[in-house]
Amino acid sequence: MLRTNQTFLNYLDELHKKQNRSDDIIVKSFSAGDKILVQDHQLSHVMMIKEGIVKCFLAEENGKEYIVEFLGSGEIIGEVELIKNINCLCSIEALNEVTVYAVKIPFFKALIKNDLTLNHLLLESFAERIINTSSRASYQQLYTVEHTLKQLLQMQAKQNIHISKEDMAAYLGITVRSLNRILKDLK
């Protein structure tokens, strides 16, 4: 439900420490509600979440949102868009105070060409995403929305964050009205 990647974060921490007064990797901060990446906009940096939690979501033409995932420390964003040379596939929004490593695109491209460790970490990350997508799809077939909602509420309490009813509904793929009905039944 909340994806993290400590190994990838350790790698970027070290890379950031080793740079000699360069601005190839900078630390940026975002407040809750700030958009870090915007769907269909051009990518400015590849980013790694250092601290905090974000939601990754798709906005449909009818104005509705579908939350793909909640991401935490060590999760990389923008790498797919960079590799495929496309605009942002989805939007990323801070749910709480978020700090990221922002990596300049030319520097990241050079790392892809020259750093086997980065390539290994990217492959691991891509494989993990495929597994998570498959698992979530089968999970949604096997378990009720109520069960998933309970897990979402537990994650919210454990991470000490507030997830709006709109975001919960968007993650579950239901309407807010249906969510309210389920919440009422859970009490």
Side-chain angles (χ1 to χ4, degrees):
M1 197 156 285
L2 174 64
R3 305 294 175 210
T4 61
N5 188 334
Q6 190 60 46
T7 306
F8 216 150
L9 181 59
N10 293 343
Y11 165 81
L12 212 56
D13 277 336
E14 285 302 312
L15 205 58
H16 181 253
K17 288 176 191 171
K18 288 179 184 176
Q19 62 179 356
N20 298 324
R21 297 181 190 234
S22 173
D23 63 349
D24 286 329
I25 304 172
I26 60 171
V27 177
K28 293 177 91 174
S29 296
F30 298 91
S31 298
D34 286 351
K35 291 263 175 46
I36 298 170
L37 296 179
V38 179
Q39 183 176 329
D40 296 325
H41 284 71
Q42 191 170 14
L43 185 68
S44 62
H45 291 82
V46 172
M47 296 183 215
M48 159 110 23
I49 301 165
K50 186 175 183 208
E51 296 173 342
I53 299 172
V54 302
K55 67 176 180 176
C56 173
F57 65 96
L58 296 167
E60 299 296 332
E61 290 175 7
N62 62 6
K64 293 188 179 187
E65 293 179 359
Y66 176 72
I67 296 178
V68 178
E69 206 65 76
F70 295 103
L71 305 173
S73 61
E75 287 296 317
I76 188 166
I77 52 179
E79 79 291 357
V80 171
E81 290 84 348
L82 174 104
I83 290 168
K84 293 297 289 175
N85 195 30
I86 58 174
N87 287 338
C88 296
L89 291 169
C90 52
S91 293
I92 307 287
E93 183 179 308
L95 290 179
N96 57 5
E97 294 296 314
V98 173
T99 306
V100 301
Y101 286 118
V103 183
K104 285 188 173 178
I105 291 173
F107 182 69
F108 197 83
K109 285 181 177 180
L111 286 173
I112 288 174
K113 287 183 181 177
N114 301 312
D115 190 332
L116 288 176
T117 302
L118 173 68
N119 285 299
H120 176 72
L121 291 167
L122 284 171
L123 284 173
E124 286 286 326
S125 177
F126 294 149
E128 186 70 24
R129 286 182 188 169
I130 292 168
I131 291 166
N132 291 337
T133 300
S134 300
S135 296
R136 184 170 175 197
S138 65
Y139 188 89
Q140 287 174 329
Q141 293 293 318
L142 297 172
Y143 294 94
T144 63
V145 173
E146 291 83 358
H147 184 76
T148 308
L149 176 59
K150 286 178 189 175
Q151 288 190 315
L152 188 58
L153 292 169
Q154 288 172 352
M155 181 196 77
Q156 176 179 245
K158 182 179 177 185
Q159 298 297 326
N160 197 26
I161 58 171
H162 172 73
I163 302 173
S164 69
K165 285 185 177 181
E166 291 79 9
D167 283 350
M168 285 184 196
Y171 181 75
L172 296 168
I174 60 175
T175 65
V176 174
R177 185 176 179 198
S178 295
L179 175 66
N180 284 330
R181 208 172 318 124
I182 296 166
L183 286 168
K184 183 180 174 187
D185 290 345
L186 287 178
K187 289 183 180 180

